[in-house]
Amino acid sequence: MTTAEISGSVRRRQADRRARTRSALLEAAARGLSTYGYANLVLERVANEAGYTRGALYHLFANKEDLALAVVGWIEETWNAEVGRRADQETHPVDALVAIARGHAAYCRRDVARAMVTLRVEFTGQDHPVGRAISTIVDRLAASCADLIAAARSSGAIPPGPPPAAMASAFLGVVEAVGIELAGQAPFDTQLAERAVRGLLGLPPVPLAVESRGDAAVLPADEELT
């Protein structure tokens, strides 16, 4: 092996270690934010729970704000990968909306899912970088849901009603509430999330044969969250 090859191998191992450390710290921080909020988050506790030193945390994140912003971005990435991607694969807007509702309920089984809600409440009415980052994400999701609702109306799949933007806000509120209240209560979390949004959208109840499949309608068998 040449010197260049050895150097490249070392850099790859270092990058892998850095990525694992960052991921562990972000997950621990997300759990901490879910439980304690931003003001009461203790960085040393985050590092200890992730299995690293406080120095390792500060090597990757400048301060608490930097860490919280990274957590917000990380949760958006994981949510998009586990929920948004599945909704994007649906060809009909109603199916995409239902996929968001069911997928979000499944995502809320993770102990990091509450961090976004906790932070959004904590920073309501404040001009803070973390609050602004969350508002940007929520606004982007609301706009996407409004587009889906408008498309579903245009196709005749759902009846006329309030403006799509208002419907999207109500839709996300229902999805969020079910996710919080029924977090981890599979399969009822996904079933009731679908029931709730179908009612909101003016759709008939889900057929019992479909509902009885539970999470099979949300995630492939090899990716189910239990």
Side-chain angles (χ1 to χ4, degrees), residues 1-13:
M1 182 177 291
T2 66
T3 302
E5 289 173 334
I6 294 173
S7 178
S9 177
V10 169
R11 286 195 298 271
R12 285 193 296 273
R13 288 198 299 270

Side-chain angles (χ1 to χ4, degrees), residues 136-197:
T136 297
I137 293 169
V138 172
D139 290 347
R140 186 159 52 237
L141 179 58
S144 295
C145 290
D147 288 342
L148 290 170
I149 290 167
R153 277 194 183 151
S154 295
S155 71
I158 63 174
M167 287 288 291
S169 294
F171 172 86
L172 290 176
V174 167
V175 169
E176 186 174 80
V178 173
I180 291 172
E181 294 300 325
L182 296 179
Q185 298 185 44
F188 310 113
D189 48 3
T190 56
Q191 292 175 0
L192 292 175
E194 180 168 357
R195 285 193 192 184
V197 299

Side-chain angles (χ1 to χ4, degrees), residues 17-103:
R17 284 198 298 271
R18 180 185 177 90
R20 287 194 299 270
T21 301
R22 188 175 189 276
S23 180
L25 289 169
L26 287 173
E27 189 162 352
R31 288 195 298 269
L33 290 167
S34 297
T35 304
Y36 307 110
Y38 181 83
N40 295 318
L41 186 70
V42 178
L43 298 189
E44 186 170 6
R45 179 188 295 160
V46 169
N48 289 338
E49 289 185 359
Y52 294 94
T53 65
R54 187 171 59 176
L57 187 151
Y58 278 112
H59 182 68
L60 293 172
F61 306 102
N63 48 40
K64 185 193 292 190
E65 180 182 302
D66 188 35
L67 175 61
L69 286 170
V71 167
V72 169
W74 176 75
I75 291 177
E76 182 185 25
E77 289 174 6
T78 58
W79 191 94
N80 284 335
E82 297 175 25
V83 183
R85 176 170 58 87
R86 300 183 189 283
D88 290 341
Q89 292 171 348
E90 299 292 345
T91 58
H92 196 284
V94 167
D95 294 335
L97 289 164
V98 170
I100 290 172
R102 292 181 66 95

